[in-house]
Amino acid sequence: MGIVMFVDETTSGSRSDGWGLEIAEERLAVRELIRRRVFQEVAEYNARTPAVFQGLVQPEDTERVLNGYALRTPRRIDPETQAELALKAFAGNGFLVLVGDRQVTELDEEIDLVLGTEVTFLKLVPLVGG
């Protein structure tokens, strides 16, 4: 059992401090890694219900704000729906996943989760005007 560090970056250069998630398996498919990350961030949001959701992908019926996504009407976020949005975003190049220095490109690719593994989610920022 080990801690995997999740870090968010954008192509504009911003980088989060990161946060850890305990994962028992030594190998895991990228699909499952994304699901677990999303389920954790949704569980934390639903437990506190702050004004802004800070997650990997934008939930439906929200507005992008400086530090995340503001829900138009306060509600609980469904983790299954959010995980599906994240998997679609990965498949559509909405973000890249880097494990250490290596980019993974397939949802079914299994990755080794050795001690100190850092997984970076590089969110692609659309170019202005294009």
Side-chain angles (χ1 to χ4, degrees), residues 83-120:
E84 286 303 314
L85 287 172
L87 294 172
K88 285 179 186 171
F90 176 83
N93 294 322
F95 61 88
L96 305 177
V97 175
L98 305 168
V99 179
D101 294 343
R102 187 176 68 82
Q103 179 181 346
V104 291
T105 57
E106 301 295 326
L107 284 172
D108 294 323
E109 182 176 345
E110 289 205 351
I111 55 174
D112 293 318
L113 301 173
V114 297
L115 187 61
T117 298
E118 182 176 283
V119 179
T120 302

Side-chain angles (χ1 to χ4, degrees), residues 43-112:
E44 289 177 13
Y45 173 84
N46 286 340
R48 296 187 329 265
T49 58
V52 174
F53 173 72
Q54 295 176 324
L56 181 60
V57 293
Q58 184 171 357
E60 295 174 348
D61 195 32
T62 61
E63 178 181 341
R64 183 182 300 271
V65 294
L66 182 61
N67 292 320
Y69 309 103
L71 279 70
R72 294 194 169 128
T73 53
R75 68 178 191 288
R76 294 177 57 83
I77 295 175
D78 177 47
E80 286 290 346
T81 301
Q82 198 64 15
E84 286 303 314
L85 287 172
L87 294 172
K88 285 179 186 171
F90 176 83
N93 294 322
F95 61 88
L96 305 177
V97 175
L98 305 168
V99 179
D101 294 343
R102 187 176 68 82
Q103 179 181 346
V104 291
T105 57
E106 301 295 326
L107 284 172
D108 294 323
E109 182 176 345
E110 289 205 351
I111 55 174
D112 293 318

Side-chain angles (χ1 to χ4, degrees), residues 1-47:
M1 188 176 306
I3 302 289
V4 174
M5 288 299 297
F6 292 118
V7 176
D8 290 340
E9 290 186 7
T10 65
T11 52
S12 64
S14 66
R15 178 179 167 92
S16 71
D17 291 334
W19 54 279
L21 180 64
E22 198 170 284
I23 296 187
E25 295 87 350
E26 293 178 4
R27 289 182 59 80
L28 203 61
V30 173
R31 172 187 316 276
E32 184 60 23
L33 194 65
I34 292 170
R35 285 180 55 77
R36 290 191 191 184
R37 180 222 158 113
V38 169
F39 269 66
Q40 181 64 35
E41 64 195 15
V42 168
E44 289 177 13
Y45 173 84
N46 286 340

